[in-house]
């Protein structure tokens, strides 16, 4: 699916947003993947296209430690191998029937997916905890301008008042998924204020994008 190998970790989702036994689509700059968590809690990321007839696997069902396609029920393991074809229950699916998988790491409450060659490790977010994710209808450059700061080499943007850490995931077409983190020490009131600050930043970035042409 991914023609480019960026060798970069992408903050795909917050841990709290993917409970055991569920799957979700995740947009990366290079395309969409299926991210799922098995019944026992293990994570997997694969191409979002069933090799049978192309149905999106992120629309499927997690059953135990497998992901089943919603269309004809072909089931895949965490290594992407097809393990069961319901129409041929006695058949062991050939090794050639599989989906490409991607490295996944979960740490500090964030699920990271490596798009391309696996880099060393995702950045740590010591002292901070995830608060929420926001879809922003603007590119990363517009968010940086709105925040008055640039994301660092790890893709982490610190708000001007240092109250927020923002993980920015480029979805292409001037769409960004923004994961918002706050200090672990933040009080409930400070968490609410941080959430509002992030929403205000989103509005500012989107307005600037509309006025000045998106970027
Ligand atoms: S399209 Fe997935 S099982 Fe048929």
């Amino acid at each position: 699916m991914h023609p480019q190998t960026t060798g970069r970790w992408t903050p795909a989702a917050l841990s709290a947003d993917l409970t055991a036994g569920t799957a979700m689509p995740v947009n990366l700059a290079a395309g969409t993947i299926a991210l799922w968590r098995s019944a026992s809690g293990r994570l997997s990321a694969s191409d979002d296209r069933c090799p049978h007839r192309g149905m999106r696997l992120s629309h499927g069902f997690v059953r135990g430690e497998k992901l089943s396609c919603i269309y004809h029920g072909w089931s895949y393991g965490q290594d992407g191998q097809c393990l069961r074809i319901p129409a041929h229950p006695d058949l062991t699916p050939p090794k050639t029937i599989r989906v490409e998988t991607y490295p996944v790491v979960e740490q500090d409450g964030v699920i990271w997916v490596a798009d391309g060659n696996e880099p060393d490790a995702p950045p740590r977010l010591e002292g901070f905890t995830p608060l929420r994710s926001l879809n922003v209808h603007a590119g990363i450059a517009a968010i940086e301008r709105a925040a008055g700061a640039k994301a660092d080499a790890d893709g982490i943007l610190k708000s001007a008042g240092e109250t927020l850490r923002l993980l920015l995931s480029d979805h292409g077409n001037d769409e960004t998924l923004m994961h918002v983190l706050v200090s672990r020490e933040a009080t409930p009131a400070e968490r609410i204020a941080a959430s509002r600050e992030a929403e205000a930043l989103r509005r500012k970035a989107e307005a600037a994008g509309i006025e000045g042409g998106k970027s």
Side-chain angles (χ1 to χ4, degrees):
M1 177 191 73
H2 303 156
Q4 298 151 348
T5 54
T6 60
R8 213 190 134 111
W9 290 103
T10 296
L14 301 184
S15 298
D17 292 335
L18 186 67
T19 55
T22 60
M24 66 189 294
V26 170
N27 292 317
L28 302 181
T32 306
I33 62 167
L35 183 65
W36 57 283
R37 193 190 292 275
S38 75
S40 70
R42 294 171 65 199
L43 283 167
S44 183
S46 74
D47 276 350
D48 197 17
R49 183 178 166 82
C50 180
H52 184 216
R53 298 240 177 117
M55 175 58 73
R56 292 184 68 169
L57 287 173
S58 58
H59 292 177
F61 298 99
V62 177
R63 293 196 171 98
E65 302 303 299
K66 305 188 197 74
L67 176 63
S68 295
C69 179
I70 196 172
Y71 203 178
H72 307 98
W74 290 23
S75 297
Y76 301 89
Q78 276 159 347
D79 62 355
Q81 175 65 45
C82 182
L83 298 174
R84 184 169 182 269
I85 298 176
H88 303 281
D90 297 327
L91 174 78
T92 298
K95 294 289 183 198
T96 51
I97 303 180
R98 58 178 300 110
V99 288
E100 187 174 357
T101 58
Y102 302 91
V104 188
V105 167
E106 184 171 35
Q107 64 183 26
D108 303 323
V110 177
I111 299 170
W112 300 83
V113 176
D115 185 16
N117 296 325
E118 185 174 352
D120 289 343
R124 300 308 305 245
L125 304 162
E126 275 125 14
F128 282 78
T129 188
L131 182 63
R132 61 185 297 196
S133 300
L134 294 170
N135 285 305
V136 184
H137 302 302
I140 288 176
I143 295 171
E144 289 177 330
R145 284 197 297 274
K150 286 256 183 203
D152 64 19
D154 289 325
I156 302 170
L157 192 152
K158 298 174 185 170
S159 66
E162 297 266 328
T163 50
L164 301 178
R165 293 284 186 279
L166 303 173
L167 300 177
L168 305 175
S169 176
D170 179 12
H171 284 189
N173 298 318
D174 289 316
E175 298 286 335
T176 305
L177 179 61
M178 183 168 82
H179 304 293
V180 183
L181 299 96
V182 290
S183 166
R184 288 186 194 279
E185 316 297 327
T187 64
E190 288 168 337
R191 290 169 67 90
I192 291 170
S195 183
R196 289 182 177 150
E197 183 182 346
E199 287 174 2
L201 179 63
R202 170 173 66 175
R203 286 194 295 274
K204 189 174 175 185
E206 291 177 344
I210 291 168
E211 282 171 14
K214 289 190 168 186
S215 62

